[in-house]
DNA sequence: CGTACGATCTGCT
DNA sequence: GCAGATCGTACGA
């Protein structure tokens, strides 16, 4: 059930981004387990991708972990406020990553936890789209960057969950207009109307 | 050292 | 639909 190291070593990061749809993201925080079904992802495809932090081989303290072997987390701060969670993939120091943009609670218990963390009375499946909301619901922080996804704090499981893949779409990534010709690449996977059912 | 800005969210209009 | 929040990071001087 738990995805092992080998899963993240696959070369095609776009294929992984597609395959992660429907998998379950799990965090363990102070004994509190939170589970969310992944419903939206984006692929960032190495040094030739103008939208990637690693474009042109750029390597800084912030994105250093993108160059590590796949199967770890890359978490960074965006707009000074939002913690964005990525899964590093591939091996041979090729900086591939998948941004997790949307989840839905696995169970009503998970929904309860996420509502509290989000400061909301209710949470529908439409309320957990947006990468900043994902990290707030799952309690993921920039200090988690570099965390091994086969350790016991953050990991992903395959539960064979049914989602309505007839409504699964691919399209351009969000907020990467500066990426010129790469801005149009269909590296984002999402459900029509944000509704995976 | 100074400055500009981003893989965004929220609340108000 | 739009502005404001809010700050680490990158990069140039």
């Amino acid at each position: 059930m738990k995805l092992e190291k080998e899963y993240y070593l696959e070369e095609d990061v776009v294929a992984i981004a597609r395959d992660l749809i429907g998998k379950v993201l799990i965090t363990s925080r102070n004994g509190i387990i939170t589970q969310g079904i992944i419903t939206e992802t984006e692929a960032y495809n190495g040094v030739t991708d103008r939208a990637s932090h690693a474009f042109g081989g750029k390597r800084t303290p912030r994105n250093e972990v993108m160059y590590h072997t796949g199967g770890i987390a890359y978490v960074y701060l965006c707009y000074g406020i939002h913690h964005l969670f990525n899964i590093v993939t591939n091996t041979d120091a090729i900086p591939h990553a998948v941004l997790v943009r949307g989840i839905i609670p696995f169970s009503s218990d998970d929904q309860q936890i996420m509502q509290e963390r989000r400061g909301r009375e209710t949470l529908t499946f439409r309320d957990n789209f947006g990468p900043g909301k994902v990290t707030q619901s799952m309690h993921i922080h920039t200090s988690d960057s570099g965390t091994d996804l086969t350790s016991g704090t953050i990991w992903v499981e395959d539960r064979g969950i049914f989602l309505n893949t007839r409504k699964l779409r691919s399209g351009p990534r969000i907020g990467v207009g500066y990426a010129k010709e790469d801005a149009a690449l269909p590296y984002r996977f999402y459900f029509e109307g944000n509704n995976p059912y």
Side-chain angles (χ1 to χ4, degrees), chain A residues 17-24 36-41 102-106 125 129 158-168 189-192 194-197:
Chain A
R18 163 66 186 81
D19 192 69
L20 282 169
I21 299 290
K23 298 289 190 292
V24 182
I37 304 167
I38 297 173
T39 52
E40 183 174 345
T41 59
I103 55 170
I104 53 177
F106 179 75
F125 61 78
F129 287 81
D158 185 353
R159 302 271 179 82
I161 292 172
F162 170 80
L163 295 174
N164 186 0
T165 50
R166 288 195 340 184
K167 297 176 76 175
L168 185 64
F189 296 93
Y190 62 100
F191 286 94
E192 190 180 318
N194 282 349
N195 186 346
Y197 297 118

Side-chain angles (χ1 to χ4, degrees), chain A residues 8 12 41 50 58-59 61 69 80 95 112 141 149 153 158-159 166 172 176 179 191 193 197:
Chain A
Y8 302 103
D12 186 348
T41 59
R50 305 187 90 92
K58 190 168 74 170
R59 189 164 179 160
T69 301
Q112 198 67 39
H141 188 265
L149 298 181
T153 51
D158 185 353
R159 302 271 179 82
R166 288 195 340 184
V176 298
F191 286 94
Y197 297 118

Side-chain angles (χ1 to χ4, degrees), chain A residues 20-128:
Chain A
L20 282 169
I21 299 290
K23 298 289 190 292
V24 182
L25 177 64
I26 305 171
T27 60
S28 176
R29 296 296 193 212
N30 303 317
I32 300 177
I33 303 283
T34 315
Q35 308 181 95
I37 304 167
I38 297 173
T39 52
E40 183 174 345
T41 59
E42 283 178 0
Y44 287 84
N45 193 16
V47 298
T48 59
D49 182 355
R50 305 187 90 92
S52 172
H53 288 168
F55 173 65
K58 190 168 74 170
R59 189 164 179 160
T60 67
R62 178 177 70 152
N63 74 357
E64 169 66 24
V65 298
M66 293 183 78
Y67 290 86
H68 293 191
T69 301
I72 62 176
Y74 170 42
V75 188
Y76 72 95
L77 191 68
C78 186
Y79 293 99
I81 303 172
H82 305 288
H83 301 257
L84 270 56
F85 171 69
N86 298 256
I87 293 172
V88 176
T89 67
N90 212 335
T91 186
D92 298 327
I94 299 174
H96 286 172
V98 176
L99 171 66
V100 178
R101 292 187 50 89
I103 55 170
I104 53 177
F106 179 75
S107 70
S108 57
D109 285 346
D110 298 311
Q111 175 162 348
Q112 198 67 39
I113 295 167
M114 291 181 187
Q115 284 175 186
E116 287 171 20
R117 287 175 178 161
R118 295 280 315 285
R120 291 234 164 351
E121 293 291 318
T122 59
L123 247 188
T124 74
F125 61 78
R126 292 171 200 282
D127 292 331
N128 255 5

